[in-house]
Structure formats: structure tokens, C-alpha cells
Amino acid sequence: MHRLYHSLLISILFSGSVLCQEAEKNLQNQSTLIDALKEEQIGNRQKAIELFIKLKYAPETKGVSNYYLARIYREQGKHDEAMSAIEESILSEPQNKWYLILKANLAEDYGQFQIIAQVYQKLSQLEPDNYTYYDNAALNYLKAEELENALVVLNAAQLNFGILPPICIKKSKILVLQKKKKKALSILEECLEKYPGHSELIEEILTIANDENNSILLNKYGPKISNSENQNQQS
């Protein structure tokens, strides 16, 4: 019984000692982080880098220190180092939108359209009510010639925001590129039912109808666009 009590006491004291050491280490890291931020703010980049590097592996400072390292490396034109640092930040805090936005900005510097698109797609999942994220993701998937992924993003936007002319028009343009003009027309006409007289939708329909020599659609929608233009002139 005495031995058991003695062992338990040692265990408690050891655990307490470890916790104290960890707390002290955390305080030191926080102090170093403050110093690093001050150096970065006054423009002493090299000193800031040295301090941030000391913190880049500590769990409680890994995200923020790598974020600032990425910013400094970007200013110095060190793209690979910047991208590597921001990846570490994202691994540390996957839900931090500012880390993701910096990664997108870094990718934009070098025209890495697929990476940009993937980041904005992730952001659209984190903040589903921000339409700009969907738009940026779809646009950059198009630049990367990943048409299916662009459609996936636009379909997600439609699920969240409903059938909107800008979404339908973008989807129709992609479908035309995929030589799926009938499906493109179907999407545009479905949207037009909800937004009757919408001139941009009608113009898209007429463009496809013209390419297809579809006299039925040209006769159906041609007068509507004329009436819309006359109304705009009168107003």
C-alpha cells in the first residue's frame, strides 16, 4: 500500500512538472511570436524570419508563424518557400480562410489555375453563402481546362443559391464547349421560365440557336430580344 501511494505521488509530481514545463515553453513561444511580429512590422525581415523559423514547428504557433513566413517569402520572390510555408499553416489549421486566401494569391502569382480553383472550392465549402468563391473556383477551373470540375462548382452554387441567370449562363457556356448544346439550351430555357424577358438569357439562347440554324428558337426568341431592346431605349 505504501509503495502504491509512493508511486502515485511520483506520477502526480512528474505530470505536474511536465505541465509546468509545457506552460513555460508556451509562454516563451508566445513571447518570441510577439517579438517576431514586431520585427516584421518595422521591416526587419531577416530577423523576423529567424524568429518565425524557431516557432514553425511548435503546435500553438505553427499556423501563424508559417503564415508570416509565407508572406515574407512572397515579398522576396521565393515562391516555393512561400508555398511550402503556407501549406504547413493549412495543415495546422485547415479551416482558417486567411491561410487559404494567401495560398490562392501565391498560386495567382504564377498562374497555377488548378491550385487557385481548388482553394476557392474549399473556401466555398467553408463559407457556402459567399458566391464569389464559387465564381472564382469555376473561372480558374476553366482556365485550367477542367470543364467538369467547373460544372461541379457551379452546380454546388446552384444548390445553394437557386437557379440564377449568371450561374445558368456560365453553365451553358461550358456545356457548349463540351458540345452539349441541347443541354445548354435546356438550362437556359428553364432559367428563362423563372426570369421571363431576361435579355442576357435570351441572347445566349439566340447565339446557340444561330450556330445550330435552329429557326424555331430564332423565331421564338428573336422578337423578344427586339422588344426588350425597344423598351430599354424608351426608358
Side-chain angles (χ1 to χ4, degrees), residues 135-165:
D135 214 27
N136 287 343
L139 174 63
N140 283 285
Y141 273 130
L142 280 174
K143 289 180 179 179
E145 299 182 355
E146 296 187 20
L147 304 185
E148 281 300 326
N149 283 332
L151 279 175
V152 166
V153 170
L154 291 170
N155 285 334
Q158 185 168 316
L159 278 174
N160 195 57
F161 296 99
I163 298 176
L164 298 176

Side-chain angles (χ1 to χ4, degrees), residues 18 33 149:
V18 169
L33 179 60
N149 283 332

Side-chain angles (χ1 to χ4, degrees), residues 54-229:
K54 289 181 180 179
L55 303 168
K56 65 183 290 187
Y57 298 112
E60 69 277 6
T61 55
K62 182 178 181 181
V64 68
S65 59
N66 277 287
Y67 171 76
Y68 277 96
L69 278 171
R71 283 180 26 154
I72 295 171
Y73 288 144
R74 185 190 186 196
E75 290 174 6
Q76 295 177 336
K78 298 177 180 179
H79 177 73
D80 291 342
E81 290 91 335
M83 190 61 83
S84 176
I86 201 61
E87 289 285 8
E88 290 297 324
S89 290
I90 293 168
L91 282 172
S92 176
E93 299 176 50
Q95 310 299 313
N96 189 311
K97 76 172 185 178
W98 301 112
Y99 298 168
L100 290 164
I101 288 171
L102 180 55
K103 182 179 178 180
N105 291 339
L106 284 166
E108 283 172 5
D109 292 342
Y110 286 82
Q112 297 171 307
F113 302 122
Q114 183 189 55
I115 294 174
I116 302 167
Q118 289 169 345
V119 172
Y120 278 112
Q121 186 173 15
K122 174 66 175 176
L123 284 165
S124 73
Q125 293 161 359
L126 290 177
E127 295 185 3
D129 292 333
N130 190 328
Y131 177 75
T132 302
Y133 292 152
Y134 299 91
D135 214 27
N136 287 343
L139 174 63
N140 283 285
Y141 273 130
L142 280 174
K143 289 180 179 179
E145 299 182 355
E146 296 187 20
L147 304 185
E148 281 300 326
N149 283 332
L151 279 175
V152 166
V153 170
L154 291 170
N155 285 334
Q158 185 168 316
L159 278 174
N160 195 57
F161 296 99
I163 298 176
L164 298 176
I167 296 174
C168 293
I169 290 169
K170 289 182 178 76
K171 286 173 67 175
S172 73
K173 287 181 182 294
I174 294 170
L175 290 166
V176 167
L177 290 173
Q178 293 179 322
K179 303 188 185 304
K180 299 176 181 178
K181 292 183 179 179
K182 286 185 178 178
K183 190 171 182 181
L185 285 169
S186 174
I187 286 171
L188 291 168
E189 288 194 285
E190 182 186 359
C191 192
L192 192 61
E193 288 179 11
K194 190 170 181 182
Y195 299 90
H198 194 285
S199 60
E200 290 181 49
L201 289 169
I202 296 170
E203 285 171 5
E204 289 297 323
I205 292 170
L206 289 173
T207 298
I208 299 172
N210 224 13
D211 291 342
E212 295 288 286
N213 292 317
N214 189 325
S215 58
I216 295 173
L217 290 179
L218 288 170
N219 291 330
K220 181 178 180 181
Y221 292 107
K224 290 186 178 181
I225 198 67
S226 298
N227 290 337
S228 177
E229 287 173 354

